[in-house]
Amino acid sequence: MRAEVITIGDELLIGQVVDTNSAWIAEKLNEYGIELFQITSVHDNREHIIAALDEAFSRVDIVLTTGGLGPTKDDITKHVLCEYFDTHLIESASVRAHIMELYKERPDVLNRLTATQWLVPENALILENRVGSAPLMVFHHGKQILASMPGVPYEMKIAMEEQILPYIENYELKITNYELGHILHRTLQVSGIPESSLAIILEDYENEMPPSLHLAYLPKDGMIRLRLSTYGGIPEDEMNRWFERLKELVAAYLIADSDEPLEVIAGNLLRQKGATIATAESCTGGKMASLLNKHAGSSAFYYGSVISYDNSVKEHLLGVPEEMIQAHGVVSEEVVRTMAESVKKLIGTDYAIATSGIAGPTGGTPEKPVGTVWIAWATPKGTYAECFHLGKLREQVTDRACTKALVRLIQLLRE
């Protein structure tokens, strides 16, 4: 089965709002074995929406729209869908009751515009929007279907998981007796080798792969994800055999045999060891701390951070001697070692990471150009430090520094 996402809203096309919905929907569709064929963004414009619907129905089985379901004048999606599916709006008693209950503690929200939310297309199947006022609408277009959802991310996600995806699964089984879930992806994460060198190692492997398998190289921030995919061409056990062979070929560079974020992998290893970690950050400015406490359950291993951007903080909070900075520079092995060991002792953790570098765009020297970053890892077995050269763009440098720090932490935790 193929699907297309149509995101509706001027705000998406002028850069005011970033479309995070489509990436999340793509991930969920893959879990259900539905291939996302295209993502289209359109203005709040009747002609633009109708043209996008016509094109989508010419190539996919499922059309998912987000946005344009609010009560204001610019929210025209519901009216355009009525026109497209040759129907009209009627009052829904169930939607009205839901909205009255939703806003019973906020009577100021219940006005004549809110009342338009319980008007729904007569020939649409209306599904419950548990957390919002915009009704979820499903239209049938022959054997194709369209599901319309709000653009607010948390509303859309709940709608997809609780209503739309289960409906699609049941509908597909009913009309074709075909079970979803035939798309398979397996991902490896590797580090420490250029993409071109990796491709040479895998050249024979790729030449031997059956046509139904596809290997993608996805580099980012010094890591390379290798994604092996099939769209129903081979059985899962055969897919697994190819995946295991791939793991063997890249074993020397393998960081993970899943697509989990590095901070999740590191956090799981810390949790398994019953170990804790802190950070002392200069050039990364708290980015490491943000990653380590990003996911639920991080309080089990992440204790805190000292963001020592200014030298005075390094000296007064982390005990880095002024003479050390004068002798070696703030971006040096001596300084990051001291930072890591000091924050480990100060916060009372088993592990610590420290970063100090020149993120740019200014501040570099011939000896230490922009992109130079020293990272240290203080562990129960000792302290390790390494210098990296991570590019010229500020965000690139800090992102890559965090990746390098987490990769080495994972390796140390596995020793």
Side-chain angles (χ1 to χ4, degrees):
M1 289 187 74
R2 281 181 167 180
E4 180 164 335
V5 174
I6 300 176
T7 61
I8 302 169
D10 293 349
E11 66 278 4
L12 299 168
L13 294 166
I14 63 172
Q16 188 177 38
V17 172
V18 176
D19 174 25
T20 59
N21 284 346
S22 294
W24 186 90
I25 291 172
E27 183 179 353
K28 288 298 175 182
L29 289 176
N30 263 284
E31 290 175 9
Y32 273 71
I34 300 169
E35 178 187 357
L36 180 57
F37 186 71
Q38 184 161 316
I39 298 168
T40 302
S41 294
V42 298
H43 287 284
D44 294 302
N45 174 274
R46 171 191 171 277
E47 290 76 19
H48 202 178
I49 295 171
I50 288 174
L53 293 173
D54 282 339
E55 291 177 17
F57 277 123
S58 73
R59 57 190 170 226
V60 299
D61 309 289
I62 301 163
V63 179
L64 302 170
T65 71
T66 65
L69 297 182
T72 56
K73 189 174 182 180
D74 62 323
D75 291 310
I76 65 171
T77 300
K78 186 164 58 174
H79 301 284
V80 175
L81 290 176
C82 274
E83 178 184 348
Y84 193 85
F85 291 101
D86 192 23
T87 189
H88 61 278
L89 295 173
I90 62 171
E91 182 173 318
S92 167
S94 61
V95 175
R96 185 181 190 278
H98 164 69
I99 292 174
M100 297 297 287
E101 176 66 21
L102 187 67
Y103 295 124
K104 66 181 181 181
E105 304 297 334
R106 299 174 59 197
D108 57 306
V109 177
L110 296 170
N111 53 46
R112 61 185 176 85
L113 286 181
T114 309
T116 64
Q117 293 292 74
W118 56 69
L119 296 177
V120 301
E122 184 177 31
N123 69 355
L125 171 66
I126 305 303
L127 302 176
E128 180 188 8
N129 178 1
R130 180 169 60 84
V131 294
S133 62
L136 311 177
M137 302 174 290
V138 176
F139 296 86
H140 289 248
H141 188 265
K143 288 190 174 182
Q144 298 163 296
I145 59 175
L146 178 144
S148 179
M149 298 173 287
V152 179
Y154 77 88
E155 285 191 43
M156 181 278 299
K157 290 176 182 179
I158 291 173
M160 277 288 287
E161 291 186 319
E162 295 186 359
Q163 300 285 4
I164 304 302
L165 285 170
Y167 179 82
I168 290 171
E169 185 173 37
N170 291 334
Y171 180 71
E172 176 63 8
L173 285 169
K174 182 169 66 177
I175 64 170
T176 66
N177 197 32
Y178 179 76
E179 184 176 355
L180 298 174
H182 60 293
I183 296 176
L184 298 173
H185 298 294
R186 299 287 186 273
T187 302
L188 298 176
Q189 298 185 66
V190 300
S191 180
I193 180 171
E195 184 180 7
S196 56
S197 300
L198 188 63
I200 291 171
I201 291 174
L202 299 177
E203 190 171 10
D204 290 341
Y205 174 89
E206 291 191 79
N207 289 336
E208 294 168 19
M209 286 193 324
S212 53
L213 274 180
H214 175 70
L215 182 64
Y217 295 73
L218 306 169
K220 184 182 179 183
D221 297 333
M223 291 286 295
I224 302 172
R225 285 185 296 163
L226 290 170
R227 189 190 65 229
L228 190 65
S229 303
T230 181
Y231 292 86
I234 62 173
E236 187 169 0
D237 58 348
E238 185 179 349
M239 168 76 154
N240 290 337
R241 285 194 292 272
W242 280 96
F243 185 66
E244 290 302 317
R245 183 178 166 193
L246 182 62
K247 282 175 64 175
E248 292 173 5
L249 291 170
V250 301
Y253 310 100
L254 185 63
I255 301 301
D257 60 0
S258 70
D259 202 21
E260 287 185 305
L262 293 175
E263 67 270 15
V264 171
I265 298 168
N268 288 338
L269 290 168
L270 286 163
R271 193 181 289 108
Q272 290 166 17
K273 285 179 170 286
T276 56
I277 191 166
T279 60
E281 302 183 62
S282 184
C283 64
T284 49
K287 192 170 282 189
M288 275 297 311
S290 178
L291 287 171
L292 288 169
N293 80 345
K294 181 178 180 180
H295 302 277
S298 60
S299 59
F301 57 84
Y302 173 69
Y303 274 20
S305 177
V306 173
I307 302 173
S308 54
Y309 204 70
D310 189 78
N311 288 354
S312 63
V313 182
K314 295 179 180 69
E315 295 170 15
H316 299 142
L317 283 185
L318 295 176
V320 179
E322 183 181 359
E323 313 84 68
M324 179 183 289
I325 294 174
Q326 290 175 347
H328 303 285
V330 71
V331 181
S332 63
E333 178 176 3
E334 292 80 2
V335 168
V336 289
R337 280 179 171 271
T338 303
M339 288 170 63
E341 291 168 355
S342 295
V343 80
K344 178 175 176 284
K345 181 178 180 180
L346 178 68
I347 297 182
T349 57
D350 304 295
Y351 291 81
I353 296 172
T355 63
S356 185
I358 306 165
T362 60
T365 66
E367 295 77 23
K368 296 178 182 179
V370 168
T372 303
V373 179
W374 272 96
I375 305 175
W377 300 263
T379 79
K381 296 180 180 179
T383 301
Y384 310 87
E386 190 171 350
C387 183
F388 301 94
H389 297 280
L390 303 176
K392 301 296 182 183
L393 303 176
R394 187 176 183 84
E395 187 172 4
Q396 178 188 66
V397 171
T398 56
D399 285 347
R400 287 179 174 178
C402 290
T403 296
K404 294 290 187 184
L406 288 170
V407 166
R408 185 62 178 133
L409 174 64
I410 290 167
Q411 293 170 333
L412 290 167
L413 288 167
R414 285 176 174 161
E415 289 179 355

